[in-house]
Amino acid sequence: GASRLPSPRVHARRHGKDRDVVAFPYIESPSGDTRPLTLNTNGEYILRALDYASAAASNASSPLHGRVDMGSVVLAGHSMGGTCAVMAGVRVP
């Protein structure tokens, strides 16, 4: 099921028994991001979601503990989200 994690900017959901995690990076908040022109196209918030997922995977008290394989990450998005995914991919070291 869905797990609201203790970050105001990331919502993550575990799928299946293994390491499938979907992380959605909020720019402002769940309700704030519904307003027109709430945007970020440089991939910054996707990278923050990746950092958060990585940290949560090593935190024993997190529902994501041991469930995130940072060596097997997929970035995806639709429309502007696709632009963000591409830009985040370009920025990943």
Side-chain angles (χ1 to χ4, degrees), residues 63-84:
L64 297 181
H65 182 256
R67 295 189 171 267
V68 179
D69 178 359
M70 293 304 291
S72 180
V73 173
V74 174
L75 301 179
H78 170 72
S79 193
M80 187 180 353
T83 299
C84 293

Side-chain angles (χ1 to χ4, degrees), residues 21-33:
V21 175
V22 175
F24 177 84
Y26 295 115
I27 294 173
E28 290 183 11
S29 67
S31 60
D33 285 2

Side-chain angles (χ1 to χ4, degrees), residues 3 6 11 24 26 40 44-45 48-49 59 63 80-81 83 86:
S3 299
H11 176 81
F24 177 84
Y26 295 115
N40 170 268
E44 177 67 27
Y45 288 87
R48 289 183 188 188
N59 179 346
M80 187 180 353
T83 299
V86 169

Side-chain angles (χ1 to χ4, degrees), residues 18-55:
D18 297 317
R19 297 180 180 184
D20 298 335
V21 175
V22 175
F24 177 84
Y26 295 115
I27 294 173
E28 290 183 11
S29 67
S31 60
D33 285 2
T34 62
R35 293 188 305 237
L37 301 179
T38 303
L39 49 97
N40 170 268
T41 57
N42 69 2
E44 177 67 27
Y45 288 87
I46 290 176
L47 295 176
R48 289 183 188 188
L50 287 174
D51 288 343
Y52 181 80
S54 179

